[in-house]
């Protein structure tokens, strides 16, 4: 891939906006599109160009990146549905498509294989690292697809991330990603209940977090995404659980993990419990809050008693 690429970035939410911004900061030419006009306007202020819809946004693009909520959005964008035409009808041959959304691997494979019939290259490249990693340009990318497409994508992914893995063939990035997120949900729940147990027994959550960080309970949620308000600055728990990674997106990822486990006949009791707890948390009206707000499931219970 040459350096003066025309990049189109579609999906400028919590993750997509800071990712696209890092491409602009690296001096790349980026055309953006999102269904939400103010998300587009923010990026245009930072130097991006814009288009009225996805079909015109990809005109002349060498590389297309998408960062959408779920599989149905990705399939509709590229392959079309009853309401809209897909990008497959307008993308140039040899365009490289990088879908960074977390979706089911079956949809990633379907989209990739269908685009390949038109000589359009596709990799699934879900990310880990949250909004903090997206902003700092330190995301982990987990790529599924042809090795040559992974190598072609590397120079661009390196502008948005630090660790970039080739997990295997088409769809493999998605499988690795949902294994990671299933583990993350279990760690978030375990960290929440341990911190609340400490609080209920009169301990300061900051002190007990410092202790566990130097002990065997150390983990990513405790260290970088502490769910208890005001233990860490600048994390969603200290900002009313706004921004970050929505409960409903974690619920979606746990559904994907459970579907995958059913297909491979794997035993995932911890993931299954996490899925039920996140579904309940969402039903209780917390779907739009960051996933660390599951902490309140334990703290609200304890304040009632
Ligand atoms: P988000 O809901 O904040 O953003 C999604 C954006 O996509 C929105 O701005 C929405 O308007 C836009 N969109 C939806 N359909 C569209 C379409 N057809 N055309 C153009 N734009 C469209 O979600 P997010 O937190 O940015 O997450 C995006 C993806 O990344 C999800 O798959 C999520 O699971 C994954 N992810 C999120 C995080 C995180 O910490 N937020 C971390 C890793 C992975």
């Amino acid at each position: 891939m040459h350096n003066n690429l025309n990049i189109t970035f579609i999906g400028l939410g919590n993750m997509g906006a800071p990712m696209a911004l890092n491409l602009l900061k690296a001096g790349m030419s980026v055309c953006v599109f999102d269904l939400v006009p103010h998300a587009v306007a923010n990026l245009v202020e930072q130097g991006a160009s814009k288009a009225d819809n996805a079909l015109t946004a990809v005109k002349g693009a060498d590389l297309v990146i998408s960062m959408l909520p779920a599989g149905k959005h990705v399939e509709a964008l590229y392959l079309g549905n009853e309401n809209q035409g897909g990008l497959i009808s307008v993308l140039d041959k040899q365009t490289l498509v990088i879908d960074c959304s977390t979706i089911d691997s079956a949809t990633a494979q379907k989209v990739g294989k269908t685009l390949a019939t038109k000589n359009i290259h596709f990799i699934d490249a879900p990310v880990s690292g949250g909004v903090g990693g997206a902003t700092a340009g330190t995301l982990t990318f987990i790529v599924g697809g042809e090795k040559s497409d992974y190598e072609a994508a590397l120079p661009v992914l390196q502008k948005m991330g630090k660790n970039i893995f080739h997990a295997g063939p088409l769809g493999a990035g998605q499988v690795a990603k949902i294994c990671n997120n299933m583990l993350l949900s279990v760690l978030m729940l375990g960290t929440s209940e341990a911190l609340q147990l400490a609080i209920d027994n009169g301990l300061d959550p900051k002190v007990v977090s410092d202790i566990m960080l130097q002990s065997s309970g150390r983990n990513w949620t405790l260290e970088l995404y502490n769910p208890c308000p005001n233990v860490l600055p600048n994390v969603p728990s200290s900002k009313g659980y706004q921004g970050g990674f929505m409960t409903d997106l974690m619920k979606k990822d746990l559904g994907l993990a459970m579907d995958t486990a059913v297909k491979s006949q794997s035993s995932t009791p911890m993931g299954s419990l996490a899925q039920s707890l996140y579904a309940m948390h969402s039903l209780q009206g917390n779907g739009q809050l960051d996933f660390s707000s599951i902490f309140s499931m334990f703290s609200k219970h304890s304040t009632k008693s």
Side-chain angles (χ1 to χ4, degrees), residues 10-16 33-36 39 54 67-70 73 77 84 100-103 127-131 177 181 225 244-246 249 252-253:
I10 299 174
L12 307 166
N14 287 325
M15 294 295 287
F33 178 68
D34 192 290
L35 299 175
V36 177
M67 192 50 163
L68 302 177
H73 307 100
L77 177 70
Q84 66 188 82
C100 298
S101 328
T102 303
I103 66 171
V127 303
S128 179
V131 174
K177 166 68 187 171
N181 274 27
Y225 217 95
F245 180 45
M246 277 185 282
L249 288 177
K252 171 204 67 165
D253 289 359

Side-chain angles (χ1 to χ4, degrees), residues 199-304:
I199 294 166
D200 292 345
N201 285 277
L203 273 68
D204 178 338
K206 173 133 187 40
V207 171
V208 83
S209 292
D210 288 343
I211 292 168
M212 293 196 291
L213 278 174
Q214 298 306 326
S215 307
S216 42
R218 179 179 188 167
N219 70 80
W220 187 89
T221 67
L222 188 66
E223 187 176 356
L224 298 171
Y225 217 95
N226 200 299
C228 178
N230 304 318
V231 171
L232 292 178
N234 298 322
V235 291
S237 62
S238 299
K239 297 187 281 192
Y241 297 107
Q242 297 301 313
F245 180 45
M246 277 185 282
T247 289
D248 279 347
L249 288 177
M250 177 53 97
K251 190 180 84 169
K252 171 204 67 165
D253 289 359
L254 287 165
L256 295 176
M258 293 307 101
D259 290 347
T260 307
V262 167
K263 280 192 202 125
S264 57
Q265 299 188 20
S266 306
S267 171
T268 51
M270 306 297 285
S272 172
L273 179 57
Q275 184 196 24
S276 295
L277 291 171
Y278 268 100
M280 200 191 303
H281 191 50
S282 174
L283 278 175
Q284 287 166 348
N286 303 304
Q288 304 295 308
L289 296 181
D290 179 74
F291 83 115
S292 62
S293 62
I294 198 92
F295 180 74
S296 66
M297 194 178 266
F298 304 94
S299 55
K300 277 184 185 148
H301 173 75
S302 75
T303 50
K304 270 187 218 142

Side-chain angles (χ1 to χ4, degrees), residues 32 80 93 142 188 191 206 266 276 279-280:
V32 296
K93 279 184 186 166
I142 312 164
M188 183 57 86
T191 299
K206 173 133 187 40
S266 306
S276 295
M280 200 191 303

Side-chain angles (χ1 to χ4, degrees), residues 140-214:
T140 297
F141 283 88
I142 312 164
V143 176
E146 294 289 336
K147 191 83 193 272
S148 53
D149 292 335
Y150 159 79
E151 282 162 359
L154 265 180
V156 173
L157 298 183
Q158 279 161 347
K159 304 281 189 283
M160 302 180 284
K162 198 167 71 173
N163 296 300
I164 297 144
F165 294 98
H166 185 225
L170 205 56
Q174 297 297 351
V175 175
K177 166 68 187 171
I178 51 111
C179 291
N180 177 75
N181 274 27
M182 185 179 79
L183 176 57
L184 170 64
S185 69
V186 170
L187 292 171
M188 183 57 86
L189 281 158
T191 299
S192 295
E193 70 182 30
L195 285 173
Q196 189 58 43
L197 178 63
I199 294 166
D200 292 345
N201 285 277
L203 273 68
D204 178 338
K206 173 133 187 40
V207 171
V208 83
S209 292
D210 288 343
I211 292 168
M212 293 196 291
L213 278 174
Q214 298 306 326

